[in-house]
Amino acid sequence: MRALPSPLLAVTDRHGHPRPLAETVQAILDGGGRWIWFRDRDLETDARRHLGEAVAERVRAAKGVLTVGGDVALARALGADGVHLGGGSGPEAIAAARAALGERALIGVSAHAAHEVAQAASAGADYATLSPIYATASKPGYGPALGLAGLAAACDRELPIVALGGLDADRIGGCRAAGAAAVAIMGGLMRAREPAEAAQAVLKAWSLAHRAPA
């Protein structure tokens, strides 16, 4: 099982706060975050690349890890460390992404149920996000929240699971105890008045939480 670069995957959303996205990313990096998922998929191609370049520059300077959501070509153009593919991405899509980005590329896949995690593992993904763990406005179309029981059931597999959806520092311990290898957070970081402090709080909660039994 491949080790993930950080227990915190920060998911970008430029709509979350009036400050420029690159500044929010910088604050998260200053707070100890090291893994950034550049999402913002509603932008046109040129605008997204321009914004991605600003984000990538900050991540590189901090010696962090950059994942690009859903666009292998953009990930390659930005010199990203990996790409996050949509749910249902099969072996061919994952192999194509790895061929484009290199064998060491970190390839993630979105999942919303335990059987989708199993499919991602069989397809050759390095990790899967599982959502929504808790109810969240950003994941309204994926059915009811899975809760910690759903997370635990999905984590009983040979694939690192990144818990996503409705998470904050108070919920990190439960996710780690359920077997999550990391947590992904968007709104709680992007909309925070002090993203550095928010990132620090999540990382502290993770360090204090108990791991799932082996």
Side-chain angles (χ1 to χ4, degrees), residues 18 24 29 54 62 67 69 83 85 104-105 123 127 135 138 198 209:
T24 301
L29 294 166
T67 288
V83 65
L85 302 175
R104 295 180 61 84
Y127 70 92
S138 66

Side-chain angles (χ1 to χ4, degrees), residues 9-66:
L9 173 55
V11 188
T12 70
D13 176 14
R14 72 189 187 284
H15 302 298
H17 198 279
R19 68 181 157 249
L21 179 62
E23 291 184 12
T24 301
V25 169
Q26 183 64 60
I28 292 167
L29 294 166
D30 291 343
R34 284 296 175 270
W35 187 12
I36 306 296
W37 172 0
F38 175 57
R39 199 164 177 270
D40 292 271
R41 295 185 62 181
D42 58 324
L43 286 167
E44 294 183 358
T45 300
D46 289 346
R48 191 180 185 212
R49 177 167 180 167
H50 181 73
L51 182 59
E53 288 170 348
V55 169
E57 181 179 2
R58 303 293 183 112
V59 177
R60 278 195 297 269
K63 294 181 170 45
V65 173
L66 178 65

Side-chain angles (χ1 to χ4, degrees), residues 102-192:
E103 285 300 314
R104 295 180 61 84
L106 187 65
I107 312 297
V109 173
S110 294
H112 307 291
H115 73 274
E116 294 180 6
V117 170
Q119 290 170 357
S122 297
D126 295 309
Y127 70 92
T129 56
L130 182 67
S131 66
I133 305 304
Y134 294 97
T136 170
S138 66
K139 293 284 182 182
Y142 294 105
L146 298 168
L148 295 179
L151 174 60
C155 287
D156 187 22
R157 303 173 191 280
E158 291 298 316
L159 186 72
I161 301 300
V162 180
L164 170 64
L167 301 182
D168 56 25
D170 293 335
R171 290 171 165 171
I172 300 306
C175 290
R176 189 173 190 189
V183 294
I185 299 179
M186 184 170 68
L189 295 174
M190 294 293 118
R191 291 192 289 272

Side-chain angles (χ1 to χ4, degrees), residues 68 70-77 83 85 93 96-97 100-101:
V68 171
D71 189 332
V72 175
L74 178 59
R76 185 173 182 177
V83 65
L85 302 175
L101 301 177

